[in-house]
Amino acid sequence: MNPVFQYSRIFLVGGPGGVGKTTLSAALAVALAEGGHPTLVLTVDPAKRLAQALGLKTIENSLTPVPLANGKLWASQLHTDRFLDELIHRIAKDPDQEQRIFSNPIYQTLSRELGGTQEYAAMERILEFVDQSQYTKIVVDTPPTQNALDLITAPRRMFDFMDTSVLNWFSGKTSFVAGLFGRSTHLALKALQRIFGSHFFDAFERFLKDIDGLQAGFQRRNFELMRLLRSDACAFLLTTIATEERVKECSLVQTALTDESIALRMILLNQFEPEPPSLTDEESRQWPRAAQWWAHLAELHASQARARDLLLKLKTPLVTLSRLDEPPSSLTDLSSLGAQLIE
């Protein structure tokens, strides 16, 4: 087994949408579980096909056992609709403060509209399970993102928001809020101001009082997560495909992670076009359309090979996975793909 998978415990599988990130997360989890490691896979929004491949009708937020013949694997879908409530429940000073926050209309609107919640929820789920010794490996299919910093800075941005952003908004510095969590939050507050009218600032003042003291809890969570991300127990794996645009993106992600003192442990080059088998001159003359298709595949392979050579220059371990004719549709398929991944 590759040392990255042997010695690390938590695997953040990152990358943009459409590159097979969720499938590779599931395949990795199956392979680790079959290798004797009780494994938990947290996925964002799995397609029905992936749930079926895992032998499940659907993947729920609660832990769902995956029916492996050998090994222990649990799957859970990441939901963001209630994660902020769960976090407030953990860090509130007492039940009275928790209830005041939940019933505050300002909080109710912010919890629905606040941007960046998917990334923050993913990181919170890691802390939820990291101290549970029954899982020796945890695979996290992270939310699709063009920027790795959206994921790793989510806890810090949430702390900044709770600590200073609402205060800046209250004092009239609206652009700061919009810059941290998007225009949607600012618009939500504006909408509340129209709803409450002259009573808005009284409601907002009550909200500020209600969340007083929570900043330390958000800051503590941020420190815990960053310490974990920078440790050897955690491995950030970047999934990509072999195009010039994605190569540039990988370089930017690597730099961003380095700036945060987080190592990019591996690049997973997915859907790589294998070199087509050679055609003889006789076959080319006999089947001219086949020759045209062969030429197309040969050029595609050559183009992707050039992109792969550029990825190798990043000096990060690279695993190349060939394009599959059909997406994995069973545990056997996932097991085979995962074995290629961790060998």
Side-chain angles (χ1 to χ4, degrees), residues 132-340:
Q132 299 186 22
S133 58
Q134 70 187 93
Y135 313 112
T136 60
K137 303 288 184 182
I138 300 174
V139 180
V140 184
D141 167 33
T142 67
T145 176
Q146 298 294 335
N147 186 350
L149 287 183
D150 289 344
L151 178 70
I152 62 178
T153 64
R156 182 193 310 158
R157 287 183 289 126
M158 182 65 78
F159 164 67
D160 288 341
F161 177 81
M162 297 301 292
D163 189 44
T164 59
S165 298
V166 289
L167 298 175
N168 280 325
W169 193 94
F170 193 60
S171 63
K173 299 177 182 178
T174 58
S175 60
F176 189 62
V177 175
L180 279 176
F181 276 94
R183 184 173 175 79
S184 61
T185 304
H186 177 53
L187 293 178
L189 290 173
K190 282 292 188 182
L192 278 173
Q193 188 173 8
R194 289 195 298 270
I195 293 171
F196 283 91
S198 60
H199 299 291
F200 170 77
F201 288 102
D202 290 338
F204 201 86
E205 185 176 9
R206 287 197 303 274
F207 172 68
L208 295 180
K209 291 179 179 178
D210 288 342
I211 66 172
D212 182 51
L214 295 191
Q215 293 88 344
F218 280 100
Q219 186 180 46
R220 183 177 66 254
R221 304 293 282 188
N222 176 47
F223 286 158
E224 291 174 0
L225 280 166
M226 292 308 295
R227 182 171 62 249
L228 182 63
L229 290 174
R230 290 166 176 161
S231 72
D232 292 337
C234 188
F236 195 102
L237 315 176
L238 181 62
T239 308
T240 190
I241 55 177
T243 67
E244 183 177 347
E245 178 184 2
R246 295 304 185 202
V247 170
K248 293 179 180 178
E249 179 183 85
C250 287
S251 179
L252 292 174
V253 168
Q254 184 183 54
T255 300
L257 291 173
T258 299
D259 289 344
E260 292 289 335
S261 300
I262 298 172
L264 177 58
R265 304 288 291 279
M266 183 176 290
I267 296 175
L268 309 178
L269 180 57
N270 199 24
Q271 304 172 15
F272 190 80
E273 185 67 37
E275 186 174 6
S278 299
L279 291 178
T280 65
D281 292 341
E282 177 62 26
E283 289 171 332
S284 297
R285 286 192 297 270
Q286 188 173 357
W287 296 296
R289 290 188 178 179
Q292 292 175 359
W293 180 242
W294 180 91
H296 166 73
L297 293 180
E299 174 53 33
L300 181 58
H301 168 76
S303 174
Q304 292 192 354
R306 290 191 292 271
R308 180 183 58 186
D309 291 342
L310 292 175
L311 285 173
L312 289 170
K313 293 182 179 180
L314 297 180
K315 305 299 182 182
T316 295
L318 179 70
V319 173
T320 301
L321 300 161
S322 296
R323 176 185 57 80
L324 301 175
D325 293 332
E326 296 290 339
S329 59
S330 67
L331 282 170
T332 301
D333 293 343
L334 290 174
S335 176
S336 177
L337 179 60
Q340 297 178 52

Side-chain angles (χ1 to χ4, degrees), residues 22-23 25-27 30 41 43-61 64-68 73-77 141 327-332 334:
T22 297
T23 299
S25 298
V30 169
V41 57
T43 188
V44 178
D45 187 19
K48 184 177 180 180
R49 171 190 53 75
L50 182 59
Q52 291 173 339
L54 286 170
L56 307 172
K57 292 183 178 180
T58 185
I59 299 177
E60 303 293 344
N61 186 48
T64 305
V66 177
L68 293 180
L73 175 62
W74 296 264
S76 178
Q77 182 174 349
D141 167 33
S329 59
S330 67
L331 282 170
T332 301
L334 290 174

